[in-house]
Amino acid sequence: ARSRTVGELLAPTSPFDKKCGRENWTVAFAPDGSYLAWSQGHRIVKLVPWAQCLNNFLLHGTKNGANAAGTRLPRQSSEGSQKSKPCEHVIDCGDIVWSLAFGSSVPEKQSRCVNIEWHRFKFGQDQLLLATGLNNGRIKIWDVYTGKLLLNLMDHTEVVRDLTFAPDGSLILVSASRDKTLRVWDLKDDGNMMKVLRGHPNWVYGCAFSPDSAILCSVGASKAVFLWDMDKYSMLQKLEGHHNDVVACEFSPDGALLATASYDTRVYVWDPHIGVILREFGHLFPPPTPIFAGGANDRWVRSVCFSHDGLHVASLADDKMVRFWRIDEEYPVQVAPLNNGLCCTFSTDGSVLAAGQDGSLYFWATPSQVSSLQHLCRMAIRRVMPTSQVKNLPIPGKVVEFLCYQI
């Protein structure tokens, strides 16, 4: 089935605007759904209010040029005042932008550096931060409501390829870089760099937190998927199975599954707790041999993400297609065309998929399908206990099996 197009945001172009430098490597939605951000290329990040964006699509059809000049927002107070009405605006990051991540604070989550009593920034619950990872190895932290630069984090020596905030509101930020390291930053401690995670033999392409912030997954220019314990900052295990570089990863909303995308033409859905591949989504038929999968096979998968319902996975590949998969079916349930797609992510409520290409964004409606009772039960029980505890429940084996994700 063909996926329904919702809209598009087209980046401005000029006769002298070359493709090089205009690649849209990253797109992100704010945790509360208020903002959408993406890299337009040439150092520019565009921020638009998501609700306003959807209204424009409904009012004016699918096309919506993103050429409006950026407007600077009024200063947002952190003392509990009402937020100013969100406005569209532009951030010039000073270098090519490779990665973006939104972060919001929960005041109860204190900095891990408990010995420091004074902090330059006291991030309130009404604040929203945007982290941008740059070509020169720097990470810039911006106040979304004002467009003001708050912090300039300098420790990586190569491109910052991906960024992810811990979902627990602690403002712990992890960066993945081509310098072969992951670095852990505490923004509640004014951006103090807490830890360096080493183990990748080559470039690190992506990283993602589990929903409970306890586990970090990282992938890179090797065939392994790395899992890290974020309490002890130690490696838990490596997941082996891909035949080429692994370039993207994301946990399911209930934390029970992990999706990884690779240049070997496949997306794997893992049970990360036992290291088993539960589902393989192939983008080339028949599936390539390991030797062919390990090279330039014209079906490199560039991005993968989980939907809000935990039932669907979206993927982008070099065959100019966007695919929507159900985790319990072998073939895509919907597809859509997209040339040179590089990144994709679902909106905060899971209703829309945004995908980036050459500075512009395209949007499709997520497949609307009823989840099975089994899937709803699996997700519900993991709201109160992790997978490891589910398997040890004192209940009949058949019920445990019903509550576990199986091959």
Side-chain angles (χ1 to χ4, degrees):
R2 186 78 171 262
S3 181
R4 180 173 63 86
T5 300
V6 173
E8 56 190 45
L9 294 172
L10 305 179
T13 58
S14 69
F16 308 104
D17 205 5
K18 296 181 180 179
K19 179 180 181 296
C20 182
R22 280 197 64 220
E23 293 88 354
N24 179 357
W25 290 106
T26 178
V27 57
F29 286 91
D32 62 358
S34 59
Y35 273 95
L36 164 70
W38 80 99
S39 60
Q40 282 195 347
H42 302 308
R43 316 186 318 182
I44 299 300
V45 169
K46 194 68 175 284
L47 273 161
V48 296
W50 176 234
Q52 175 186 318
C53 189
L54 276 179
N55 288 337
N56 287 343
F57 291 154
L58 293 173
L59 290 173
H60 306 297
T62 62
K63 292 193 177 182
N64 182 23
N67 303 339
T71 56
R72 202 165 182 80
L73 302 181
R75 177 61 184 155
Q76 163 65 23
S77 170
S78 303
E79 304 302 322
S81 64
Q82 291 291 318
K83 293 178 184 177
S84 303
K85 184 178 178 181
C87 297
E88 181 178 308
H89 60 125
V90 169
I91 295 174
D92 186 342
C93 295
D95 204 347
I96 295 173
V97 180
W98 285 85
S99 50
L100 291 172
F102 281 100
S104 56
S105 173
V106 174
E108 295 75 35
K109 288 283 183 179
Q110 300 298 319
S111 167
R112 293 196 181 185
C113 297
V114 293
N115 296 327
I116 299 178
E117 296 181 359
W118 180 87
H119 290 102
R120 179 182 169 196
F121 297 107
K122 296 194 186 319
F123 294 116
Q125 197 163 9
D126 62 338
Q127 279 185 311
L128 186 61
L129 306 180
L130 179 69
T132 56
L134 306 181
N135 192 68
N136 58 12
R138 295 188 178 190
I139 302 167
K140 293 187 176 181
I141 310 296
W142 309 82
D143 185 327
V144 170
Y145 300 123
T146 65
K148 180 182 178 181
L149 178 63
L150 301 178
L151 292 167
N152 195 351
L153 310 180
M154 297 177 286
D155 212 70
H156 283 296
T157 58
E158 285 281 353
V159 171
V160 179
R161 189 62 187 84
D162 198 16
L163 293 165
T164 182
F165 276 98
D168 62 5
S170 62
L171 289 183
I172 298 296
L173 174 69
V174 175
S175 54
S177 172
R178 287 185 180 174
D179 65 11
K180 307 179 186 179
T181 68
L182 297 135
R183 293 174 193 262
V184 185
W185 313 81
D186 185 353
L187 295 196
K188 289 197 174 181
D189 186 24
D190 295 338
N192 174 50
M193 204 268 291
M194 302 163 54
K195 200 74 179 176
V196 180
L197 304 180
R198 304 183 191 275
H200 281 270
N202 215 316
W203 293 358
V204 190
Y205 281 122
C207 55
F209 269 103
S210 61
D212 62 3
S213 303
I215 299 174
L216 180 80
C217 175
S218 63
V219 296
S222 65
K223 301 172 186 178
V225 177
F226 291 69
L227 296 178
W228 307 84
D229 182 329
M230 293 308 287
D231 288 324
K232 301 176 181 176
Y233 301 115
S234 61
M235 190 185 300
L236 287 172
Q237 62 175 322
K238 291 183 187 179
L239 307 181
E240 306 279 355
H242 280 295
H243 303 294
N244 204 333
D245 293 356
V246 191
V247 295
C249 58
E250 188 165 74
F251 283 91
S252 61
D254 64 2
L257 303 175
L258 172 69
T260 58
S262 171
Y263 288 167
D264 66 7
T265 78
R266 297 169 171 94
V267 166
Y268 286 156
V269 177
W270 308 75
D271 182 331
H273 306 282
I274 58 176
V276 172
I277 298 171
L278 300 180
R279 179 68 68 185
E280 175 184 319
F281 298 135
H283 294 68
L284 183 61
F285 300 95
T289 63
I291 292 177
F292 186 60
N297 46 58
D298 299 326
R299 295 293 188 278
W300 284 1
V301 188
R302 297 283 181 175
S303 186
V304 67
C305 55
F306 254 106
S307 68
H308 183 72
D309 60 9
L311 186 64
H312 294 94
V313 173
S315 65
L316 287 183
D318 282 351
D319 61 356
K320 304 177 182 179
M321 297 294 288
V322 178
R323 291 174 173 84
F324 294 91
W325 313 78
R326 272 180 66 116
I327 60 171
D328 54 0
E329 294 185 14
E330 188 175 354
Y331 300 104
V333 293
Q334 288 185 11
V335 297
L338 180 68
N339 291 338
N340 304 319
L342 294 173
C343 60
C344 65
T345 191
F346 283 98
S347 60
T348 307
D349 64 1
S351 64
V352 173
L353 179 78
Q357 167 239 28
D358 293 349
S360 298
L361 275 186
Y362 300 85
F363 303 89
W364 295 273
T366 302
S368 179
Q369 297 179 316
V370 177
S371 300
S372 66
L373 176 62
Q374 181 184 26
H375 181 70
L376 294 174
C377 289
R378 289 185 300 203
M379 291 194 69
I381 197 167
R382 283 168 177 79
R383 291 176 185 163
V384 294
M385 64 178 63
T387 294
S388 57
Q389 293 182 21
V390 171
K391 293 183 177 179
N392 294 325
L393 286 173
I395 55 178
K398 282 292 184 183
V399 179
V400 173
E401 186 178 319
F402 181 81
L403 296 173
C404 291
Y405 293 89
Q406 305 289 337
I407 297 175

